[in-house]
Amino acid sequence: MMMCEEGGPARDRDCIAGRHDPIASREHDPRTKILVVEDDWAIQQAIAAYLGQHEMRAVAVSRRRDFDQQFAACEPALILLDLGLDQEDGLDLLRDIRAGSDIPVIVITGRRCDEIDRVVGLELGADDYVTKPFDLRELLARIRAVLRRRAIGRAAPRRDAEGGRIRFGKWQLDRRSRRLSDADGAPVALTKSEYALLNAFLNAPHRPLTREYLQQATRVHEDVFDRSIDVQVLRLRRKLEANPGEPRIILTERGVGYTFALPVEPV
């Protein structure tokens, strides 16, 4: 199965799937379970064989019904989701996954897939994406990076070391409970990544912060792809700004990154 290039023979053994079939589900298998949602049988086989060589077990499905059964039977450590499913919309499935779970999702797109699909996928909560054709070694590296970030996030203290409440503009954030509220005291839901990004801005108001700094400070898509922070900023702006298209709170610094423009004070 050729994964590195389109057409022609694979040139590296890491891009060739083995002949055994590791897709079939096995009970009590101690390896990390990766659920592959892909309707191309050859790609299923290539991914499954390669992950099987690296201490992971791929369980592949091509239909929503099969996905629901596998997910209910045993939640996977990570989901690989092809957005170009023939009979079902991968974005709809991603939306449903995120509605009830924070399991990491890496979306797979075709080379000719409209870029907007990738952006929408990230906005819906995908953790990363790969574009076909892809190198299996790169896919494995991205899977490991996402799983590593998840492990770090779970190991982090539930309560911020800084603690306390802070006010910025009409907003108030309780860092102990991680609760953001508006001027009327109504709660505003934040994802983990949105909270981490907001916290990074509040720790350095009026200072231009580079994308690299924000990636390190929030551990969001670290070393995965360059513009992930831009997507996170867009999502946060939609919750804070009166007009996200003309932001007044999180300002873009061309060629640098972003600046948090409001004064921040303890309550």
Side-chain angles (χ1 to χ4, degrees):
M1 170 58 190
M2 158 55 189
M3 298 298 294
C4 292
E5 304 168 6
E6 284 187 307
R11 301 183 183 182
D12 190 297
R13 64 182 177 84
D14 287 333
C15 298
I16 303 174
R19 294 186 179 180
H20 64 290
D21 182 3
I23 288 181
S25 177
R26 291 189 283 273
E27 293 183 1
H28 311 302
D29 191 324
R31 293 177 297 171
T32 301
K33 177 183 176 181
I34 308 297
L35 184 53
V36 183
V37 187
E38 167 65 61
D39 54 13
D40 188 309
W41 182 86
I43 293 178
Q44 287 183 6
Q45 294 292 311
I47 292 175
Y50 191 74
L51 295 184
Q53 297 166 13
H54 294 84
E55 306 300 324
M56 295 182 184
R57 176 171 63 96
V59 177
V61 298
S62 59
R63 297 179 300 175
R64 175 63 181 267
R65 180 180 63 186
D66 297 330
F67 170 86
D68 292 339
Q69 290 176 348
Q70 285 291 341
F71 192 88
C74 179
E75 285 194 1
L78 181 141
I79 298 170
L80 293 177
L81 173 61
D82 180 14
L83 294 184
L85 298 176
D86 282 343
Q87 299 182 3
E88 298 182 62
D89 189 344
L91 289 174
D92 287 341
L93 180 53
L94 174 59
R95 185 180 293 106
D96 292 344
I97 292 170
R98 275 292 163 264
S101 172
D102 65 349
I103 289 176
V105 178
I106 297 178
V107 296
I108 301 174
T109 70
R111 171 177 283 178
R112 295 175 183 151
C113 180
D114 195 327
E115 183 178 354
I116 194 169
D117 281 349
R118 294 195 291 271
V119 174
V120 171
L122 294 172
E123 290 183 340
L124 289 176
D127 296 86
D128 196 2
Y129 73 85
V130 293
T131 303
K132 297 177 183 176
F134 51 83
D135 189 298
L136 290 168
R137 290 170 298 186
E138 178 188 359
L139 177 64
L140 178 62
R142 289 173 182 265
I143 290 173
R144 286 174 170 169
V146 170
L147 292 176
R148 184 166 57 248
R149 290 197 302 272
R150 180 174 174 83
I152 291 173
R154 285 182 164 182
R158 293 185 177 274
R159 187 181 67 178
D160 277 308
E162 298 172 52
R165 296 181 182 178
I166 49 179
R167 179 185 293 119
F168 54 98
K170 66 178 183 179
W171 309 94
Q172 183 170 297
L173 179 68
D174 186 332
R175 279 174 157 163
R176 290 192 176 90
S177 63
R178 298 194 174 195
R179 182 179 185 271
L180 177 67
S181 54
D182 62 17
D184 299 322
V188 178
L190 294 175
T191 66
K192 293 179 181 178
S193 57
E194 290 166 355
Y195 173 81
L197 183 59
L198 176 59
N199 213 29
F201 280 127
L202 296 179
N203 287 336
H206 307 295
R207 261 179 51 195
L209 302 178
T210 66
R211 290 179 175 86
E212 292 76 12
Y213 172 87
L214 292 171
Q215 285 174 334
Q216 293 294 327
T218 62
R219 297 191 180 97
V220 176
H221 303 295
E222 185 174 335
D223 295 327
V224 178
F225 48 93
D226 293 338
R227 301 192 66 80
S228 59
I229 287 296
D230 299 290
V231 175
Q232 297 296 331
V233 167
L234 176 59
R235 295 171 64 182
L236 189 57
R237 277 174 170 167
R238 288 174 175 171
K239 295 186 176 181
L240 298 180
E241 302 277 1
N243 182 359
E246 298 180 2
R248 296 179 179 274
I249 299 175
I250 304 175
L251 307 181
T252 300
E253 299 289 341
R254 291 190 178 277
V256 179
Y258 300 94
T259 297
F260 194 82
L262 294 180
V264 176
E265 58 182 356
V267 178

